[in-house]
Amino acid sequence: MRTLILALVLVMSEVAAATPARGGEPDGGRPLFHFTPTKNFINDPNGLLFLAGEYHLFYQHNPEGDRWGHMSWGHAVSRDLVRWEHLPVALREADGIMIFSGSAVFDARNTSGLGRDGQAPMVAIYTGDGRQRQTQNIAASVDRGRTWTKFAGNPVVDLHSNSFRDPKVFWHEPSRRWVMATVLADERKVRLWNSRDLKNWERLSDFGPAGSRKGVWECPELFETPVEGGSPGESRWILKVDVNDGAPFGGSGGQYFVGRFDGKTFQNEPTPRDEPLWIDFGKDFYASQTWNDAPKSGGPVWVAWMNNWQYANDIPTSPWRGAMTLPRVVALRRTPDGLRIAQTPVAGVESLRGAHRKVENRVIKAGETRLDVDKIEGAALDLVATFEPGDAETFGLKVRCGAGEETLVGVDRRAGTVFVDRTRSGTVGFSPHFAGRHSARASLGDGLIRLRVLVDATSVEVFANDGLVVLTDQVFPRPASVGASLFATGGGARLRTLDVWELRK
Ligand code: FRU
């Protein structure tokens, strides 16, 4: 009997722990157009590859619980990057070795010899973590990623290190080799390798430390990106590497370097005082990766884990914990400071647009101007707003409003910044690192200011200066908090136009 009671108590406390802090109904507040696993914990996107009409998304996953652990590769596929089909776990922890982050390629010419029956293989390159060691390993699939066989000769690279991980591999046509970026995480170095067959790897060069030298470096990626408006075919290489802990607003974040790659060495165009370039100025953009072999659509497409290691294990969602950002097209834009990343949400999100409303020429007096006369409501919205700054000090939109909850997306003219303020966005008390205002310097000028804001059940993503300035932040309001309004402080502003689409599947 005592065991039964104990079991009951345990079950009850499990249920209590799993009850969402918001809403109450199961799955209340699940994102509509952001990838989430059916249940349990996820972190980094892994193995991103486009093959035979499918965008593959593998991801760091704990199949057994809603906190980090037992890392394996979960798997989903999509044809449009916004509607996902869940597939069984692809690569599982085994013999005390966890499957850490990595990438996947389509080995069309069967350089690895891991194809079967004339079928070229998909090859996953991942870090095996266990027994105080991190090594690089490969596995192959000849059924479009549905089932996998780990290579008998693993590991393929072993430095006898416990801080050597996150292989991202791509085919480098000029040298006719596979190129792999890895990190020596504690040394804040990216180490590049190449190979003819994905099994034998030769060391090429090291990059770093540089830029942000705080914390550890993780999830490196080297990829070529077109220069917007450049001469035909003009491109540069981006070396992206994530930093934990050391991002602008604390915790984890992604930095990048712009430069050239000759097949062996990456050489960056230096920034003043070696200042880091950050990809995103919210707190929830980490471990991004681009899709290998994706159809050309203006530039590489990447997705990131929409979270921060400061509170990833504590966010108030259930039965899933963790989501991906909306995938974005990456371009390089010329700015007075040099070439910088500009991001555009993938076009697929526009296929989710439902009811549309337009608001024009609305005076925004100091204080709050409600928009609900126009019945602009919904947990998932795509908003495009153009403002005339007037004499306001700050102005902008409030989204996910309701009963004491609001999330501000605004412009601070004196500071010259665009910001997201999630201080009162709903459930914020699960971590001292969550509530706050995150802002990014933007070029505001005196003319019109355009913001695109994508709102979902647990996030806001803000694109300013045509994608040059991006902020991604999770928010956890009650599912019923779906109002939107306008605000201004210290003076007035004007909303020139606002287009709002409700997003739905
Ligand atoms: C980044 C990271 C990687 C590692 C994985 C483990 O978030 O720490 O460096 O491979 O997560 O889940």
Side-chain angles (χ1 to χ4, degrees):
M1 189 62 182
R2 269 188 57 201
T3 359
L4 183 65
I5 291 174
L6 192 66
L8 264 175
V9 167
L10 276 176
V11 168
M12 296 294 286
S13 57
E14 282 274 296
V15 169
T19 303
R22 310 155 301 121
E25 70 270 40
D27 269 19
R30 186 186 277 275
L32 181 107
F33 60 98
H34 289 86
F35 177 83
T36 51
T38 49
K39 60 177 186 168
N40 290 332
F41 185 89
I42 67 167
N43 52 289
D44 318 351
N46 293 153
L48 303 187
L49 176 67
F50 180 82
L51 182 64
E54 291 179 325
Y55 289 91
H56 288 267
L57 167 64
F58 299 90
Y59 51 88
Q60 286 289 282
H61 183 42
N62 179 356
E64 292 169 39
D66 63 3
R67 298 176 75 79
W68 187 88
H70 302 291
M71 295 327 283
S72 300
W73 278 24
H75 189 197
V77 289
S78 172
R79 293 188 172 268
D80 60 7
L81 295 169
V82 289
R83 297 168 181 88
W84 293 97
E85 180 194 336
H86 294 282
L87 293 172
V89 171
L91 289 165
R92 267 182 201 277
E93 171 196 43
D95 309 321
I97 308 282
M98 291 196 274
I99 315 291
F100 271 20
S101 283
S103 51
V105 296
F106 179 57
D107 183 13
R109 289 178 299 108
N110 196 22
T111 61
S112 62
L114 297 175
R116 247 192 289 135
D117 309 326
Q119 287 263 40
M122 235 168 116
V123 177
I125 308 93
Y126 61 91
T127 298
D129 175 276
R131 304 184 196 125
Q132 263 85 69
R133 203 49 92 76
Q134 295 186 337
T135 60
Q136 313 324 320
N137 300 266
I138 62 177
S141 166
V142 287
D143 59 0
R144 294 161 34 250
R146 271 55 178 182
T147 59
W148 290 86
T149 309
K150 290 176 186 156
F151 174 51
N154 279 335
V156 293
V157 192
D158 184 357
L159 296 179
H160 303 270
S161 158
N162 63 2
S163 177
F164 168 47
R165 57 182 179 269
D166 304 341
K168 168 74 200 203
V169 176
F170 65 96
W171 176 252
H172 184 247
E173 185 56 32
S175 60
R176 306 221 26 100
R177 296 280 191 285
W178 299 103
V179 171
M180 171 164 80
T182 57
V183 281
L184 307 179
D186 293 346
E187 295 174 44
R188 295 169 202 97
K189 279 187 186 161
V190 174
R191 178 160 295 178
L192 301 177
W193 308 77
N194 78 3
S195 170
R196 289 170 191 273
D197 60 6
L198 297 163
K199 294 172 174 168
N200 297 289
W201 292 92
E202 230 169 85
R203 187 176 153 179
L204 291 175
S205 58
D206 285 356
F207 177 87
S212 173
R213 296 146 196 265
K214 297 183 190 154
V216 293
W217 279 17
E218 300 186 311
C219 301
E221 175 168 15
L222 180 62
F223 61 102
E224 196 174 6
T225 306
V227 174
E228 263 181 18
S231 49
E234 188 180 355
S235 65
R236 292 288 189 288
W237 289 79
I238 293 175
L239 179 65
K240 186 267 335 185
V241 63
D242 297 275
V243 179
N244 182 37
D245 161 355
F249 297 98
S252 38
Q255 68 165 333
Y256 68 98
F257 304 88
V258 181
R260 295 177 196 267
F261 175 61
D262 62 5
K264 288 208 164 86
T265 307
F266 172 78
Q267 184 67 53
N268 68 311
E269 296 169 5
T271 56
R273 294 172 300 281
D274 193 24
E275 265 163 26
L277 302 176
W278 297 100
I279 300 168
D280 194 292
F281 291 86
K283 274 193 80 159
D284 297 307
F285 184 98
Y286 197 64
S288 64
Q289 188 177 111
T290 72
W291 266 275
N292 278 335
D293 302 345
K296 294 274 165 283
S297 57
V301 178
W302 69 15
V303 70
W305 178 42
M306 190 159 60
N307 220 332
N308 191 307
W309 278 121
Q310 283 181 329
Y311 43 70
N313 281 300
D314 306 309
I315 56 170
T317 60
S318 177
W320 75 96
R321 189 174 269 139
M324 297 299 170
T325 65
L326 183 63
R328 303 153 185 192
V329 180
V330 183
L332 279 170
R333 185 173 302 161
R334 274 184 221 289
T335 74
D337 301 324
L339 290 167
R340 296 291 181 265
I341 286 182
Q343 302 178 69
T344 312
V346 288
V349 72
E350 285 154 38
S351 71
L352 305 177
R353 285 175 172 176
H356 170 242
R357 289 182 190 89
K358 194 171 186 97
V359 183
E360 277 174 304
N361 261 320
R362 183 73 61 90
V363 173
I364 315 172
K365 297 207 197 88
E368 185 167 333
T369 308
R370 297 182 68 92
L371 271 173
D372 45 14
V373 280
D374 307 290
K375 291 208 175 46
I376 293 168
E377 310 210 308
L381 299 173
D382 184 351
L383 304 109
V384 180
T386 312
F387 296 95
E388 277 172 39
D391 59 0
E393 277 167 24
T394 71
F395 62 87
L397 291 160
K398 292 186 182 182
V399 295
R400 300 304 310 270
C401 305
E405 297 182 351
E406 59 183 24
T407 300
L408 275 59
V409 176
V411 171
D412 183 329
R413 295 189 70 211
R414 278 204 290 199
T417 56
V418 172
F419 65 86
V420 172
D421 191 325
R422 64 178 181 187
T423 315
R424 289 178 300 280
S425 65
T427 304
V428 297
F430 55 88
S431 161
H433 303 294
F434 188 78
R437 176 177 289 208
H438 313 134
S439 50
R441 290 205 67 81
S443 58
L444 299 174
D446 284 326
L448 298 177
I449 293 170
R450 189 168 172 274
L451 299 178
R452 177 153 182 212
V453 184
L454 287 149
V455 181
D456 203 347
T458 65
S459 62
V460 292
E461 289 164 286
V462 180
F463 297 81
N465 287 168
D466 276 319
L468 209 49
V469 176
V470 183
L471 295 97
T472 303
D473 269 327
Q474 297 185 91
V475 290
F476 302 104
R478 281 186 287 263
S481 296
V482 292
S485 62
L486 301 165
F487 75 91
T489 63
R494 179 184 290 270
L495 179 74
R496 181 69 82 78
T497 60
L498 172 65
D499 282 289
V500 187
W501 290 268
E502 288 175 17
L503 297 177
R504 51 159 198 223
K505 278 211 183 136

